[in-house]
Amino acid sequence: METVVDVALKDGTRMLVSLAEDRVFEPGQAIELGFDPERAHLFASPAETARTAA
C-alpha cells in the first residue's frame, strides 16, 4: 500500500508526496516529512519549465 498526500509547506510551496505505507491524515493536519535524496523524483512546475525553455 502507499499513500499520496497533497501537502503545502510553511512557505506556501505545494507538492505531492508518496508514502510507502498506508496512512490517513486529516485535512490541514501538520505532518513531519523527510526523504532519501537517492530515491526522490523531482519535477519542475509548468511555469518553471516554460521559463527555462525560453
Side-chain angles (χ1 to χ4, degrees):
M1 295 296 269
E2 80 172 342
T3 303
V4 177
V5 184
D6 182 3
V7 300
L9 304 180
K10 289 181 181 181
D11 69 0
T13 302
R14 296 189 61 141
M15 65 177 66
L16 289 177
V17 176
S18 175
L19 306 175
E21 56 190 53
D22 190 23
R23 296 285 307 266
V24 176
F25 298 103
E26 295 296 322
Q29 177 181 344
I31 61 175
E32 192 169 316
L33 298 172
F35 68 96
D36 178 353
E38 295 289 323
R39 298 189 62 201
H41 299 277
L42 305 176
F43 303 90
S45 70
E48 183 68 25
T49 302
R51 189 171 42 233
T52 58

